[in-house]
Amino acid sequence: MIQRKIAIYGKGGIGKSTTTSNLSAALAGKGYRVMQIGCDPKADSTKNLMGGQRIPTVLEQIRQKGDAIKLEDIVFTGFGGVLCVESGGPTPGVGCAGRGIISAFEQLESLDAFAVYRPDIVIYDVLGDVVCGGFAMPIRGGYAREVYIVSSGEMMSLYAANNIATAIRGFGKRGYAKLQGLILNAKNIENERQIVDRAVQEIDTRVIQYIPRSPDIQSAEARGGTVFETLESSPMQAVYSELAEKILSA
């Protein structure tokens, strides 16, 4: 039985996938069996767990293999044993990306992915510029019970965070997922922490973790990995491990 079902939302380009991958690596390092599911048409959520390599997406494999598709075609083992899945999306300009996420989830269910791999924790990494039916699927469909939003102190990032929080509150009234907090992925803008502290009061949530801006993140990504895999003594390891502990104790 899956112990924790977590969705991480955030504006495109905010560092959500980087945060999610390092969180997955931190949880795996604590002995948990983690599955990370990328819910973005760019399909780049898991590349830092896969040595910088892009994995085939569920939608690509559905198109290529149809009914012959197998779990090993769409679930790949990355750093620390993290199980990696990318939902993918339609050809740019053709079709609905949100519908692609729904199709990917349906395929994982039809192949009994969670029963076969038995992850302790499933993390959905979801694009959060818009919260249409497809992008809301992890929370609307009951796949995730806890939601975290990654944001900086930039206006558009906080605007997206507020939109996401509004959607989550709407779903929460129907007994779906609950917003657990905001992860501040710092951009080093002036008075950033104070700006975000005011914003979370308006959103009615809290900052669960502060992630300082660090060149170690870019260095690790340039090597195709997380800070746990590519950097032996980075202080960012402790930051992500602390985030993992806070989420585990939430």
Side-chain angles (χ1 to χ4, degrees):
M1 181 177 178
I2 301 170
Q3 297 176 25
R4 307 291 288 272
K5 302 175 183 179
I6 300 166
I8 298 183
Y9 280 78
K11 178 183 176 295
I14 198 60
K16 172 178 48 60
S17 294
T18 299
T19 301
T20 304
S21 294
N22 280 282
L23 170 61
S24 291
L27 290 167
K30 297 178 186 298
Y32 292 92
R33 188 165 176 79
V34 182
M35 177 179 282
Q36 179 171 321
I37 302 177
C39 303
D40 187 327
K42 296 193 303 297
D44 59 356
S45 171
T46 60
K47 65 182 178 64
N48 288 335
L49 294 165
M50 297 296 303
Q53 299 301 308
R54 181 183 180 280
I55 60 174
T57 72
V58 178
L59 287 192
E60 287 170 350
Q61 297 291 58
I62 290 173
R63 286 193 290 266
Q64 291 176 17
K65 302 190 176 183
D67 292 340
I69 191 172
K70 299 177 181 178
L71 275 176
E72 52 263 37
D73 296 323
I74 57 176
V75 182
F76 301 85
T77 303
F79 173 73
V82 177
L83 301 164
C84 299
V85 180
E86 294 283 358
S87 66
T91 302
V94 180
C96 171
R99 178 63 216 176
I101 293 171
I102 295 171
S103 297
F105 283 18
E106 289 172 347
Q107 186 65 65
L108 287 168
E109 281 198 338
S110 70
L111 294 173
D112 293 324
F114 302 122
V116 171
Y117 291 104
R118 301 177 66 83
D120 301 309
I121 302 169
V122 178
I123 304 178
Y124 299 91
D125 175 9
V126 194
L127 178 66
D129 291 84
V130 292
V131 192
C132 71
F135 289 105
M137 186 66 175
I139 49 178
R140 183 172 60 89
Y143 291 93
R145 304 298 299 174
E146 310 164 50
V147 182
Y148 296 87
I149 300 173
V150 178
S151 179
S152 69
E154 296 168 315
M155 182 184 69
M156 292 309 297
S157 177
L158 290 170
Y159 182 78
N162 184 61
N163 283 343
I164 296 161
T166 300
I168 294 165
R169 280 195 292 271
F171 291 126
K173 292 175 182 176
R174 285 173 270 174
Y176 295 152
K178 178 182 178 182
L179 177 59
Q180 297 284 62
L182 183 143
I183 299 167
L184 171 51
N185 194 33
K187 297 291 186 182
N188 285 357
I189 66 173
E190 188 175 359
N191 299 321
E192 185 165 26
R193 297 186 80 161
Q194 292 91 329
I195 290 170
V196 174
D197 283 343
R198 288 197 299 271
V200 295
Q201 288 180 17
E202 294 178 14
I203 295 172
D204 191 24
T205 188
R206 60 185 174 134
V207 175
I208 188 171
Q209 180 72 1
Y210 171 73
I211 300 177
R213 192 165 180 83
S214 169
D216 286 0
I217 302 300
Q218 285 71 38
S219 177
E221 290 195 331
R223 301 181 193 184
T226 64
V227 294
F228 295 93
E229 182 179 10
T230 61
L231 302 175
E232 289 186 3
S233 57
S234 170
M236 294 304 295
Q237 292 186 10
V239 173
Y240 290 115
S241 290
E242 183 179 7
L243 172 61
E245 287 293 344
K246 289 178 177 177
I247 288 176
L248 288 169
S249 63

